[in-house]
Amino acid sequence: MTDLDALVGDLDRRLAEADAVLTTRYPGDRGVRQPVHTVYVPGDRFSVRTVDEWGSQAKAALEAHGGTAAQLASALGQSAPAGASEPQRELVYERVRAKLDDEPIEDLRIDFEDGYGTRSDEEEDAAAVAAARALAETVKAGVAPPYHGLRIKSLEAPTRRRGVRTLDHFVGELAAADALTPGFVITLAKVTSVEQIDAMVVVLDAVERARSLPKLGFEIQIETPQSILGPDGTALIPRMITAGAGRVTGLHYGTYDYSASLGVAAAYQSMEHPVADHAKNVMQLSAAGTGVHISDGSTNVLPVGDRAAVHAAWRLHARLVRRSLERGIYQGWDMHPAQLPTRYAATYTFYREGLDSAATRLRAYTGNGDSGYLDEPATATALAAYLLRAADCAATTLPELEKLTGLDESALAKLAKRPVRS
């Protein structure tokens, strides 16, 4: 008879290194909320009024071009509601309005890269300090978006010094005001090598030591072909995440820089171009199980002009948001206040449409009913994560989820393999 204890002991020794790699490199969900979008505002245009102004402009656009649930549905190209779908559309519409009142921006990035451009050192220094002070004021007043931060210029040679200088000025002002929160995020633009991630870690180490700061995290912007494929033909993002030494919190796709760098003509650059899908597939595969969030890019077709132009841009934006959600990418960029109504309408519709089915399947999985599906543990994890994401963005509430599933937040988090939030 096989000596199982001896055999398994030998396997434990043989697989110890692989076990350690699995645990350290793939820790799973970080247990923090992922925002549904990131709003970019040029560094010299940000003020303490920016979030309120975006909310007001978003509500004005909604009122002007989609003043009722039926009008918004028509504007987005949705078929006329019938029967039981009518209350659901009204519910989505009211949730959109409430969101624009309560939290119009979930994640704000004050941009000192392409959205800001090249200025003199004196001008960018002043803009960085002013923007940081304004952000600190909103943090102190309790009105800052839950996630907020800045995008710096890349660590390539021409912009390296400027990017580091802006980061140091900005973080220094926030720290001096005691306004550096867990929601603070740094975005590193145009990454072209693993070595730049090594360098970013060196930069953050130096800034933290000089200012006695807690550990800072950052996002990698994927907008160059060099960040997807190395010169030796290997995928570089996994190595970048490892090089980030636990600091990398997100991967953000840059639609237009990436497409242009591959020679895609301007008229065909899009979040749904095949080259975009390939890059995002690589991003998803690289980040799976690491706790690193994935964000799609933006559409540059803005909802401005007459009603026909606004509605056309809204239909495109809503379709692209929905497309990303269906592909498992739960965040994207918004570049204009009038994109907020469609961001939330498309997101809430996605979650509300699947709410009853997901809840029924999860209730059946836990032995409290039948659903017509034979779901495996991995699917149950995905179902629970879907429901918690819906609550995170206000498409539903935790009490509603408990009523539908018979599971409280702790039980849902356990199924989703997400740490329970304090």
Side-chain angles (χ1 to χ4, degrees):
M1 181 175 178
T2 304
D3 186 341
L4 289 180
D5 289 341
L7 177 58
V8 173
D10 181 49
L11 294 180
D12 287 343
R13 289 187 292 274
R14 290 174 181 271
L15 295 174
E17 185 176 349
D19 290 343
V21 168
L22 188 65
T23 300
T24 57
R25 292 191 181 180
Y26 302 99
D29 196 311
R30 299 201 313 274
V32 298
R33 166 187 174 187
Q34 181 178 8
V36 301
H37 69 171
T38 301
V39 162
Y40 276 81
V41 177
D44 57 340
R45 298 184 193 173
F46 177 74
S47 75
V48 295
R49 300 181 300 278
T50 296
V51 174
D52 282 343
E53 289 170 351
W54 271 63
S56 295
Q57 291 172 38
K59 287 184 286 186
L62 181 62
E63 182 65 28
H65 303 292
T68 67
Q71 288 170 358
L72 181 61
S74 175
L76 300 186
Q78 298 172 346
S79 58
S85 65
E86 176 68 23
Q88 194 74 284
R89 289 191 197 278
E90 292 289 346
L91 179 60
V92 166
Y93 188 77
E94 289 309 312
R95 287 189 180 275
V96 171
R97 289 175 59 89
K99 185 71 169 181
L100 296 179
D101 282 331
D102 299 338
E103 192 182 69
I105 297 176
E106 290 194 359
D107 184 23
L108 170 71
R109 206 66 75 250
I110 301 169
D111 190 14
F112 288 94
E113 204 243 345
D114 282 350
Y116 179 77
T118 302
R119 316 285 181 92
S120 69
D121 278 342
E122 293 75 16
E123 188 174 358
E124 185 161 338
D125 286 348
V129 169
R133 287 176 177 171
L135 179 59
E137 190 173 335
T138 65
V139 168
K140 292 291 190 179
V143 295
Y147 295 92
H148 49 263
L150 79 162
R151 178 169 70 166
I152 63 171
K153 292 177 172 66
S154 83
L155 292 182
E156 292 185 336
T159 55
R160 185 174 299 149
R161 181 179 178 83
R162 185 61 259 180
V164 173
R165 182 165 167 163
T166 295
L167 173 61
D168 190 47
H169 277 59
F170 196 100
V171 171
E173 287 298 322
L174 282 185
D178 193 25
L180 205 54
T181 75
F184 179 69
V185 188
I186 302 162
T187 305
L188 178 61
K190 294 182 175 60
V191 174
T192 54
S193 68
V194 176
E195 288 78 10
Q196 288 181 1
I197 304 305
D198 292 327
M200 186 63 171
V201 172
V202 171
V203 168
L204 295 179
D205 279 339
V207 171
E208 290 161 2
R209 285 196 307 270
R211 301 184 180 278
S212 299
L213 302 178
K215 185 175 180 180
L216 299 172
F218 67 99
E219 301 164 336
I220 301 172
Q221 198 154 2
I222 306 298
E223 50 185 339
T224 69
Q226 292 85 2
S227 59
I228 291 293
L229 194 67
D232 60 353
T234 60
L236 294 187
I237 297 177
R239 290 166 55 192
M240 291 180 180
I241 293 173
T242 299
R247 294 180 182 270
V248 177
T249 62
L251 304 173
H252 283 225
Y253 178 66
T255 307
Y256 302 99
D257 280 270
Y258 188 84
S259 299
S261 67
L262 291 180
V264 177
Y268 301 98
Q269 293 171 9
S270 165
M271 293 162 60
E272 57 186 343
H273 193 281
V275 301
D277 284 339
H278 173 262
K280 288 178 285 190
N281 288 341
V282 173
M283 290 164 62
Q284 284 182 284
L285 284 168
S286 299
T290 66
V292 173
H293 292 159
I294 302 296
S295 175
D296 211 328
S298 64
T299 173
N300 60 2
V301 180
L302 301 181
V304 296
D306 61 21
R307 174 167 289 197
V310 170
H311 284 185
W314 271 1
R315 285 193 295 274
L316 173 65
H317 186 238
R319 181 173 64 77
L320 291 174
V321 171
R322 176 67 180 239
R323 184 179 189 273
S324 297
L325 291 167
E326 290 177 355
R327 284 156 177 77
I329 301 178
Y330 299 103
Q331 185 176 353
W333 299 4
D334 289 327
M335 312 299 286
H336 191 278
Q339 289 179 327
L340 300 186
T342 39
R343 169 67 61 182
Y344 293 121
T347 300
Y348 291 172
T349 299
F350 170 77
Y351 285 115
R352 298 298 311 184
E353 284 180 352
L355 196 63
D356 287 341
S357 174
T360 298
R361 291 173 67 173
L362 206 55
R363 183 182 282 273
Y365 178 81
T366 56
N368 295 304
D370 297 310
S371 67
Y373 290 87
L374 184 61
D375 287 320
E376 296 184 353
T379 301
T381 295
L383 288 166
Y386 170 88
L387 295 175
L388 288 172
R389 285 182 182 276
D392 282 344
C393 70
T396 184
T397 63
L398 290 171
E400 182 180 19
L401 292 184
E402 185 167 1
K403 180 179 179 182
L404 290 171
T405 65
L407 303 168
D408 62 14
E409 181 182 12
S410 178
L412 286 170
K414 184 177 180 180
L415 281 168
K417 298 183 179 179
R418 171 193 285 190
V420 178
R421 300 173 193 170
S422 57

